[in-house]
Amino acid sequence: MTAALAEKGAAAPAPADPPAPPAAPRRRGRERAFDDVPRWQIYLPLALYLLFTLVPFYWMLLFALRPAGSTSLVPWPVTFEHFDKVWNERGFGVFFQNSMLVGVATLVATTVVALAGGYALARFDFRIKNAFMLALLCSQFIPGALMLVPLFEIFRNLQMINSLGSVVLAETVFQLPLSIILISGFIKNVPVSLEEAAWVDGCSRFRAFRAVVLPLLRPGLIAVGSFAFVHSWNHFLFALMFLSEQDKQTIPVGLNTLIGADSADLGALAAGGVVAAVPVVIVFAFIQKWLITGFSAGAVKG
């Protein structure tokens, strides 16, 4: 009987193999379809967008470089009389210096304070942390025009009216919420174990932060600092309200003085616009890689 059972078991068919899982759909057809798109369908929209973006800049350069009264669509002969007029006669040399002081001071103040606040939010837990983050986010919905009267009263009591310091302080306050959020998100991407290793080696918290964390924050600091500089360079409202003397005004306010009640000097206005745009273009040309890296890294963990 045992032999019969053994023969029966030996004669039993082997279990069939489980069905193979369905193969993943190939993307070759989709990729081939994308590669087969005619290039003109890609380049034509990009060219139209580039044309739409560059035409206003060309128009500004045209008015700035062609002689007064000319209607030519090509700036020839080229003249720099409009630049000489706005720089020497209209005081744009002083306006440029004031705007540069405000922009650099705002950059430094915003970066330093945002670095301290962002580190506190990223590395410490305290009771009102979530409420503080919510307040930072909600502050972005408050337009600066609503704060002009309170700020004017505060600066008047502090005797800071008609001082570049009032503009720097106002710009820094309005730049800090977003800057702190970005720096905080960037610091969260730096492993705490790096700081802990420095603490074990005998470094204090500040020294470990300066030696280990701060070098890794370069893209984030460049992004925050450049954003603060460009915003303060282009901002018109605070400089208009807090600065009354002409030798304290900035470039946006100076451009406003070129527009009269009944007419405007288009050549001088275009030249002033070129003067105002050149520093911003230079800043973005040199830091565009760091700017994109900093904003993307700071937004990963907010």
Side-chain angles (χ1 to χ4, degrees):
M1 182 176 180
T2 304
L5 290 175
E7 292 177 359
K8 185 177 181 181
D17 296 334
R26 296 183 178 181
R27 296 186 177 180
R28 185 178 301 276
R30 185 182 304 174
E31 294 176 356
R32 184 180 300 141
F34 178 78
D35 293 336
D36 292 340
V37 174
R39 293 302 178 186
W40 67 267
Q41 295 185 9
I42 300 175
Y43 294 142
L44 181 60
L46 293 177
L48 292 176
Y49 175 77
L50 184 63
L51 181 65
F52 179 79
T53 304
L54 294 182
V55 163
F57 290 97
Y58 176 77
W59 205 252
M60 182 173 62
L61 286 173
L62 179 64
F63 276 91
L65 295 177
R66 75 183 183 183
S70 175
T71 58
S72 174
L73 296 180
V74 178
W76 188 261
V78 176
T79 178
F80 294 96
E81 59 179 352
H82 301 303
F83 291 95
D84 181 72
K85 181 178 180 180
V86 298
W87 192 265
N88 297 318
E89 297 181 15
R90 296 302 185 99
F92 263 67
V94 178
F95 300 159
F96 187 90
Q97 181 181 356
N98 294 337
S99 292
M100 189 63 66
L101 289 174
V102 170
V104 173
T106 303
L107 183 154
V108 174
T110 302
T111 304
V112 171
V113 179
L115 189 60
Y119 184 84
L121 289 177
R123 290 293 190 254
F124 297 101
D125 291 326
F126 46 92
R127 183 175 300 178
I128 61 171
K129 179 177 179 179
N130 293 332
F132 183 72
M133 287 290 295
L134 181 62
L136 290 178
L137 293 173
C138 292
S139 66
Q140 299 300 297
F141 299 99
I142 302 176
L146 293 179
M147 305 300 296
L148 284 178
V149 175
L151 286 175
F152 188 87
E153 290 295 325
I154 292 173
F155 292 145
R156 188 181 65 175
N157 294 330
L158 295 175
Q159 298 181 355
M160 294 181 64
I161 294 297
N162 200 34
S163 171
L164 294 179
S166 61
V167 181
V168 172
L169 187 58
E171 294 287 352
T172 302
V173 168
F174 276 87
Q175 291 298 314
L176 276 178
L178 179 61
S179 301
I180 290 176
I181 293 173
L182 289 174
I183 291 294
S184 173
F186 200 85
I187 293 177
K188 287 180 180 179
N189 292 329
V190 180
V192 185
S193 58
L194 297 178
E195 289 185 85
E196 293 175 347
W199 298 343
V200 172
D201 292 338
C203 293
S204 63
R205 179 179 289 273
F206 177 75
R207 185 177 179 184
F209 171 77
R210 185 185 62 184
V212 177
V213 180
L214 191 59
L216 301 177
L217 300 180
R218 182 182 300 174
L221 295 178
I222 293 176
V224 169
S226 60
F227 187 77
F229 175 82
V230 172
H231 186 273
S232 61
W233 179 272
N234 294 326
H235 205 190
F236 169 77
L237 198 57
F238 290 154
L240 178 67
M241 292 298 298
F242 302 147
L243 304 175
S244 56
E245 297 181 4
Q246 185 175 1
D247 60 346
K248 297 293 182 63
Q249 293 175 350
T250 57
I251 282 184
V253 182
L255 288 174
N256 186 59
T257 61
L258 299 177
I259 304 175
D262 301 323
S263 62
D265 189 346
L266 296 181
L269 189 62
V274 173
V275 172
V278 166
V280 178
V281 172
I282 293 176
V283 167
F284 278 105
F286 280 97
I287 67 169
Q288 57 178 343
K289 180 181 70 174
W290 300 102
L291 188 66
I292 296 172
T293 304
F295 276 123
S296 60
V300 172
K301 295 182 180 180

